[in-house]
Amino acid sequence: DPHTGLAYLACGNLAARQRWLTPGDAYDVSRETEMDRVYVMREDDTYNVIQLLEETAVGTLIPFSQSLRLHGFDIHWDPANPQHMTFMFVNHQPGHAAVSIFTYAHGANYMVHVETVATDLLHSPNNILAMSQRAFYATNDIKFDHHIMRTLSTNMRLAHGSVVYRNETGSFSVALAGIRYPNGIARYKSQIYVASCSDPSVHIYRANADNSLELQGRTIFPDSIPDNLFVDPQNGQIYATTFLKSRETHKLFHNPSLETSRIAGTRILRLTLRNDAPSFDIESLLVDSGELMPTATIAAVQRRNQIQRML
């Protein structure tokens, strides 16, 4: 949160996801022992859970009753009062994918469900970019929801991904088609950035009047695969978390543990937009063979109470 310096985390059920994260695998419902959770973390590493609630017809708040299997999420801050926030979560519910939207007030220990939206265009959402309290962009990493076709599409690096847009009235449209495994999505001012795992690269887009995305440029990573993107709101620099060895990373997803692995590996990059062209200057902030971090999905800058650090 650029206004308070607090960090929000969407956390999943480890045992259930050991057969879900790798393309081609199904979510292991039999191992699902508890609902996914949202936490808020402070600069001293203390944290607490934020309860997810919904309102009944008579105005009573009760625990969120829908299935909750979290993936990417984003926050929209009310321009008139940044302490009022809208959280948008990619939610892989049984039988379909959806986006669940909650409203939250800074300092509260709960957030309240507003709506959960689904459409055939939102068939394989990975990450989301909140544009307002209702509008958003979301990446569809792969065209297919069948496991074999998902695996083939990924391994053959087919350009079957897309980005969809939901407008203020709730209508969906395809903002971008024909991109290889789009994953993280973020923005700074008028530019929107999308990480393509299978290129691998980060693409720079401009939103047109009809909310379609027009390519402005891209930067290719020759030796690592980008996952999620974080944009530093102070200067627009992008933090890209990347995988060094994709095959070993997939194996690790199947058998994660608190033990470290020396075979997968993570690289965190900082991208600075160039003034002379729609591309980036790239710095490596961290390169780890897997001994410290076998894998990672996102890096972010936290500034709070005179402390600045990278999470």
Side-chain angles (χ1 to χ4, degrees):
D1 185 340
H3 306 284
T4 65
L6 296 170
Y8 296 93
L9 300 85
C11 300
N13 188 298
L14 180 62
R17 296 189 182 217
Q18 290 183 18
R19 294 294 182 267
W20 178 60
L21 286 174
T22 305
D25 291 332
Y27 188 93
D28 193 346
V29 179
S30 66
R31 299 190 183 191
E32 191 174 55
T33 58
E34 59 184 351
M35 182 179 289
D36 289 359
R37 296 180 181 180
V38 177
Y39 290 88
V40 57
M41 186 173 70
R42 291 163 286 275
E43 75 284 358
D44 59 0
D45 292 338
T46 59
Y47 59 89
N48 57 275
V49 67
I50 299 177
Q51 300 177 66
L52 303 186
L53 305 179
E54 63 185 33
E55 190 173 356
T56 67
V58 296
T60 304
L61 293 178
I62 62 174
F64 184 55
S65 61
Q66 297 182 28
S67 175
L68 187 71
R69 291 167 185 147
L70 299 175
H71 203 160
F73 79 99
D74 197 22
I75 307 171
H76 176 264
W77 287 268
D78 186 338
N81 185 356
Q83 295 202 357
H84 289 172
M85 294 171 267
T86 301
F87 280 70
M88 298 185 177
F89 298 99
V90 172
N91 187 358
H92 293 276
Q93 297 184 325
H96 68 275
V99 171
S100 293
I101 302 175
F102 292 78
T103 184
Y104 177 70
H106 167 65
N109 64 358
Y110 65 91
M111 59 179 65
V112 180
H113 180 244
V114 177
E115 60 177 335
T116 293
V117 297
T119 172
D120 289 343
L121 292 181
L122 201 66
H123 50 79
S124 182
N126 189 307
N127 211 337
I128 189 166
L129 174 61
M131 302 298 290
S132 72
Q133 293 180 346
R134 298 200 73 207
F136 61 80
Y137 287 95
T139 56
N140 281 314
D141 48 29
I142 303 177
K143 177 180 179 181
F144 305 100
D145 56 6
H146 299 292
H147 304 148
I148 293 177
M149 293 304 297
R150 286 179 63 85
T151 302
L152 289 175
S153 179
T154 302
N155 292 343
M156 296 178 68
R157 301 178 59 246
L158 301 178
H160 283 164
S162 64
V163 179
V164 299
Y165 179 75
R166 188 212 189 203
N167 66 18
E168 296 288 350
T169 66
S171 297
F172 284 84
S173 60
V174 177
L176 172 70
I179 180 173
R180 293 185 177 92
Y181 207 105
N183 193 326
I185 182 169
R187 69 166 169 161
Y188 184 68
K189 297 181 178 179
S190 62
Q191 291 181 314
I192 293 175
Y193 309 116
V194 178
S196 169
C197 291
S198 299
D199 264 347
S201 58
V202 171
H203 296 201
I204 305 170
Y205 294 96
R206 179 184 65 195
N208 295 318
D210 62 355
N211 300 305
S212 62
L213 297 181
E214 181 178 342
L215 181 65
Q216 303 295 295
R218 66 174 181 166
T219 292
I220 296 177
F221 303 151
D223 53 3
S224 53
I225 297 173
D227 192 351
N228 288 303
L229 306 175
F230 169 83
V231 175
D232 188 337
Q234 287 195 1
N235 52 36
Q237 290 180 319
I238 301 171
Y239 290 75
T241 305
T242 69
F243 306 130
L244 292 178
K245 303 174 184 177
S246 60
R247 291 183 183 273
E248 300 302 331
T249 299
H250 290 168
K251 293 177 184 178
L252 183 68
F253 284 160
H254 280 292
N255 188 29
S257 71
L258 296 179
E259 299 286 335
T260 56
S261 165
R262 298 175 184 269
I263 56 176
T266 298
R267 173 181 281 126
I268 297 175
L269 304 174
R270 182 165 60 194
L271 284 59
T272 303
L273 190 66
R274 300 179 60 180
N275 294 322
D276 58 344
S279 61
F280 301 100
D281 292 323
I282 303 176
E283 307 168 72
S284 287
L285 300 183
L286 182 149
V287 180
D288 183 74
S289 63
E291 182 176 358
L292 176 65
M293 287 194 303
T295 185
T297 62
I298 190 167
V301 176
Q302 183 181 39
R303 299 182 179 95
R304 180 174 165 85
N305 294 335
Q306 311 305 313
I307 293 176
Q308 176 173 312
R309 63 178 184 168
M310 185 173 66
L311 302 177

